[in-house]
Amino acid sequence: MLSVIPAREWTFEISDGAAEPTFIEIGGLDNFGWDRQTASEETDDFSSQGQGASLPMRRASTIALSGHRLEDPDTGDRDPGQEEIETSAELIGAAAVRDFQVTTPGGKVGTFVGWAEMGSTGGGKNNKTGWAATLHINGRIVWDA
């Protein structure tokens, strides 16, 4: 039976960049948004009699992650997943590309190659410190069987 699933049960992980990667869960998340974009090209012409026609020419996806910045108040140690995102987001070109995993609440695992872009970090005087990043997916997500 299909049921509604809580967003909090999804997990997102980044690889450590090693040849045999270890995946590190990104902690502190309280929101995600999975956006899909399509670029199309019009294919209508004079014979279309004013009726539009097009084909999808490019599809792309991003996953926006946001939540709370996590840090040990005694040592300054950061959440390993957040820190790995921040480290990779400073790199340029192919060095910035990493493997990622997303796991659904039902346990289905998707892997993809992509890169991270940092979003806003901060907050007001009575707020928790926020943290945000966007994952840019290169190609398709490959889901396990």
Side-chain angles (χ1 to χ4, degrees), residues 58-102:
R58 179 180 181 271
R59 299 196 191 270
S61 295
T62 57
I63 299 174
L65 304 173
S66 62
H68 310 293
R69 180 180 167 96
L70 299 180
E71 179 178 301
D72 185 310
D74 297 324
T75 65
D77 291 343
R78 296 290 319 289
D79 173 77
Q82 287 184 3
E83 191 167 49
E84 196 66 38
I85 289 282
E86 292 167 14
T87 299
S88 72
E90 293 293 321
L91 302 173
I92 305 295
V97 176
R98 294 292 181 88
D99 294 317
F100 293 88
Q101 283 188 169
V102 57

Side-chain angles (χ1 to χ4, degrees), residues 8-57:
R8 68 176 171 262
E9 293 182 9
W10 290 73
T11 59
F12 299 90
E13 299 170 290
I14 182 172
S15 76
D16 60 4
E20 294 292 323
T22 297
F23 285 92
I24 306 162
E25 185 171 349
I26 303 162
L29 301 179
D30 67 5
N31 195 12
F32 78 93
W34 196 327
D35 295 316
R36 294 162 178 89
Q37 305 88 31
T38 300
S40 63
E41 184 66 27
E42 292 182 9
T43 59
D44 53 318
D45 56 23
F46 291 157
S47 67
S48 301
Q49 299 177 352
Q51 299 300 307
S54 65
L55 289 172
M57 301 304 282

